[in-house]
Amino acid sequence: MNNTYIIIDFDSTLVQGEALELLASFVLDKRDDKEKILLEILKITKQGMEGKITFDKSLEKRLALFRPQIKHIKKLVNHLKKTITKSVINNRAFFLNNAERIYVVSGGFKEFILPVTRELGISDDHVFANTFLYRGNDIVGFDTKNPLAHKGGKVAVVKNMNLKGKIIAIGDGYTDYELKREGVADTFIAYTEHIARDLVVKNADFVAKNFDKAIEWITK
């Protein structure tokens, strides 16, 4: 591990499920059209994860379907802390012992990611994610200057880290595979504990059904 860095996704990897979809479910809780909107959000998420639409379009389309507030973020954080991936919790010692070599790079949002990554001993400066824009208590958009809000954002961020050593990317989405495809990661591990996406699995160097298997591969 001395010369190895690990880049980990957040949604459906460190936590169970897609946080933005969960946030939408909290926002839409009392609405009659909740299920219809959630299905549309799920469809857009799937298209983005499989590389069929660009990430910025996916993000823009999903946020346009619901209007979150700060209170919904707080509710989401409480939920995410309870749904950290079981094999991540079981391997918390690995995260603590290798915290200086672990980075979280996500198209999600720092507002709900940082409270979870802190639980795993990952420092805030090792977490790269989007940020919301606010008007009072209302979330009105996201910072479009952040590279992670755009196509190829993960690649740009990891390139900019300028890490000297072997880089292993772990995640469930196409944007995680792009790190290997674009040459900024040496290895891509498809993480399938929560969901297996055919296009992602097909392009993986290794498929890990949980973090026990991922760690076995990393430390072999």
Side-chain angles (χ1 to χ4, degrees), residues 20 50 65 74 90 93 109 129 142 149 151 168 173 190 202 214 220:
L20 206 62
E50 293 176 348
L65 290 170
K74 291 177 180 177
N90 292 343
F109 290 82
F142 55 93
K151 181 181 179 181
I168 299 171
K202 184 175 75 173
K220 68 180 180 180

Side-chain angles (χ1 to χ4, degrees), residues 138-156:
D138 297 326
I139 293 167
V140 294
F142 55 93
D143 179 10
T144 57
K145 293 178 182 176
N146 189 326
L148 285 163
H150 300 282
K151 181 181 179 181
K154 285 192 178 185
V155 172

Side-chain angles (χ1 to χ4, degrees), residues 174-209:
Y174 193 81
T175 55
D176 304 303
Y177 157 64
E178 284 180 331
L179 294 174
K180 167 69 184 294
R181 189 190 72 185
E182 298 303 315
V184 295
D186 299 284
T187 302
F188 169 57
I189 297 176
Y191 194 78
T192 61
E193 183 163 356
H194 306 301
I195 188 166
R197 307 180 198 278
D198 292 342
L199 190 60
V200 177
V201 168
K202 184 175 75 173
N203 286 291
D205 296 296
F206 178 71
V207 178
K209 65 181 180 180

Side-chain angles (χ1 to χ4, degrees), residues 1-219:
M1 283 292 294
N2 286 341
N3 202 34
T4 299
Y5 295 92
I6 305 169
I7 309 294
I8 306 178
D9 185 31
F10 184 75
D11 295 298
S12 298
T13 303
L14 288 182
V15 293
Q16 303 169 32
E18 297 293 316
L20 206 62
E21 291 172 16
L22 288 166
L23 179 61
S25 73
F26 294 142
V27 174
L28 301 167
D29 192 37
K30 305 295 183 183
R31 297 228 340 219
D32 293 337
D33 56 353
K34 175 182 176 179
E35 293 306 318
K36 180 182 177 183
I37 296 174
L38 288 179
L39 281 172
E40 183 62 23
I41 290 170
L42 184 64
K43 177 184 171 184
I44 296 167
T45 299
K46 186 171 184 287
Q47 288 173 338
M49 285 294 183
E50 293 176 348
K52 293 178 180 175
I53 62 172
T54 60
F55 180 76
D56 50 336
K57 279 295 176 192
S58 167
L59 188 55
E60 186 181 327
K61 281 185 169 186
R62 285 178 291 167
L63 281 177
L65 290 170
F66 65 103
R67 303 282 184 188
Q69 295 180 319
I70 290 174
K71 66 181 180 181
H72 299 121
I73 298 290
K74 291 177 180 177
K75 189 173 181 180
L76 175 63
V77 166
N78 289 334
H79 177 86
L80 291 175
K81 283 183 176 180
K82 295 172 186 173
T83 56
I84 297 174
T85 297
K86 186 177 179 182
S87 66
V88 170
I89 294 291
N90 292 343
N91 287 288
R92 192 165 183 268
F94 176 85
F95 283 84
L96 293 172
N97 293 337
N98 296 285
E100 76 283 359
R101 297 193 172 274
I102 294 174
Y103 292 82
V104 174
V105 181
S106 172
F109 290 82
K110 282 189 176 183
E111 285 88 342
F112 54 72
I113 293 175
L114 290 177
V116 174
T117 51
R118 286 168 187 158
E119 300 271 315
L120 300 171
I122 299 170
S123 62
D124 290 0
D125 62 354
H126 277 220
V127 178
F128 296 84
N130 283 300
T131 52
F132 287 118
L133 296 178
Y134 301 87
R135 186 181 297 122
N137 288 319
D138 297 326
I139 293 167
V140 294
F142 55 93
D143 179 10
T144 57
K145 293 178 182 176
N146 189 326
L148 285 163
H150 300 282
K151 181 181 179 181
K154 285 192 178 185
V155 172
V157 164
V158 177
K159 269 185 182 176
N160 196 48
M161 288 180 190
N162 201 27
L163 300 173
K164 303 299 183 185
K166 182 180 180 183
I167 297 176
I168 299 171
I170 304 175
D172 69 295
Y174 193 81
T175 55
D176 304 303
Y177 157 64
E178 284 180 331
L179 294 174
K180 167 69 184 294
R181 189 190 72 185
E182 298 303 315
V184 295
D186 299 284
T187 302
F188 169 57
I189 297 176
Y191 194 78
T192 61
E193 183 163 356
H194 306 301
I195 188 166
R197 307 180 198 278
D198 292 342
L199 190 60
V200 177
V201 168
K202 184 175 75 173
N203 286 291
D205 296 296
F206 178 71
V207 178
K209 65 181 180 180
N210 52 46
F211 259 95
D212 299 275
K213 294 299 181 185
I215 291 167
E216 274 180 31
W217 195 94
I218 291 165
T219 57

